[in-house]
Amino acid sequence: MSGPVRQQVGAAAPLRPAAVHRPDDSETWLSSLRATGEERELAVARLHGLLLRAARFEAGRRGPTLAGVGSKELDDLAVQAADDALLAVLSRLDTFRGASRFTTWAYKFAVYEMSVKLRRRAWQHREVPLEPQSWALVPDVGTLPQQHVEGAEVLAAIRSGIAALTPHQRDVLVAVAINDVPIDVLAERLGTTRGALYKTLHDARRRLRVHLTGLGLLTTATTAVEELR
């Protein structure tokens, strides 16, 4: 009787070829955009096309909310947004840290630029109110009957605090926090920058908190002050 059958070991399986290292797509973008000559021109053209698609998508998403803005004007705004986004991306290549794909990072520039242009277009023929019709527009802190007296005291304190701001601080706070003027629209009308206006808002809110603290109302008024954002 023959002995136990031994399993025949077949020929060794062929080795898989080593994976070929391919540079990340983001690395390819950066390399091409930092190159010279035709390589850079082609990369810039591709990037502009990507940014234009992003801007048109944002225009299509938000455009219907703008009364009186036709498709041709929307597309013109999208082209302008893509142009501005392209310049912004090219000037900030060194700030790309690879937390996301390069195309995702660049896409955000186009969405931002398109959003700014749509907000500005929406306010194009509207007056930017810098003075409130009434500071009763400051949000109330409560609607229950037992809160009315306390709420009236807080609102009076906030109004007096707003009155104590500098004229510029008051104008910016009222326009942005009470009258809902987009900050980039206000920056354009006042001939300043978003950063400068954000600092003004920060200083105005800080002065309001100091004012309310002096009146012993900071805890009660915290919600109302936070509404002024």
Side-chain angles (χ1 to χ4, degrees):
M1 187 174 179
S2 60
V5 177
R6 295 183 178 179
Q7 182 176 2
Q8 182 179 4
V9 179
L15 296 176
R16 294 180 181 179
V20 178
H21 173 70
R22 295 182 179 179
D24 182 81
D25 185 59
S26 298
E27 296 178 10
T28 302
W29 273 106
L30 292 172
S31 175
S32 297
L33 291 171
R34 288 168 172 157
T36 57
E38 184 178 4
E39 181 182 357
R40 183 177 187 278
E41 291 177 4
L42 290 174
V44 168
R46 284 179 57 215
L47 178 59
H48 186 269
L50 180 147
L51 297 173
L52 182 56
R53 289 192 296 275
R56 282 174 171 161
F57 177 84
E58 187 68 7
R61 188 177 72 86
R62 300 180 56 174
T65 63
L66 296 177
V69 180
S71 58
K72 185 179 184 305
E73 183 178 0
L74 272 180
D75 197 63
D76 287 343
L77 290 174
V79 173
Q80 294 173 32
D83 292 345
D84 292 345
L86 178 65
L87 294 176
V89 170
L90 293 177
S91 67
R92 292 173 172 82
L93 289 179
D94 291 340
T95 68
F96 177 70
R97 295 292 179 261
S100 62
R101 295 179 67 86
F102 176 82
T103 50
T104 302
W105 178 75
Y107 193 98
K108 295 176 182 178
F109 284 84
V111 171
Y112 169 76
E113 293 293 345
M114 192 70 225
S115 299
V116 169
K117 293 188 184 303
L118 290 175
R119 286 195 295 269
R120 288 177 177 172
R121 177 59 182 83
W123 281 82
Q124 184 173 334
H125 302 297
R126 295 173 60 182
E127 180 183 358
V128 172
L130 298 179
E131 291 292 339
Q133 296 297 321
S134 169
W135 284 346
L137 294 175
V138 175
D140 201 344
V141 295
T143 57
L144 297 177
Q146 62 266 30
Q147 294 176 306
H148 282 175
V149 173
E150 181 182 359
E153 292 176 351
V154 171
L155 289 175
I158 291 176
R159 292 189 195 102
S160 65
I162 291 176
L165 299 175
T166 68
H168 179 61
Q169 288 174 339
R170 185 166 56 248
D171 287 348
V172 172
L173 183 68
V174 167
V176 175
I178 299 178
N179 292 323
D180 294 325
V181 179
I183 198 163
D184 40 40
V185 172
L186 185 62
E188 182 183 42
R189 299 290 179 90
L190 297 181
T192 185
T193 64
R194 289 166 52 93
L197 291 185
Y198 277 126
K199 183 179 185 306
T200 299
L201 281 174
H202 173 77
D203 292 344
R205 291 178 183 129
R206 180 174 52 79
R207 290 188 63 175
L208 265 181
R209 290 189 181 95
V210 171
H211 174 77
L212 295 170
T213 298
L215 296 176
L217 293 172
L218 182 61
T219 301
T220 304
T222 297
T223 302
V225 174
E226 291 301 318
E227 288 289 339
L228 300 180
R229 290 187 177 275

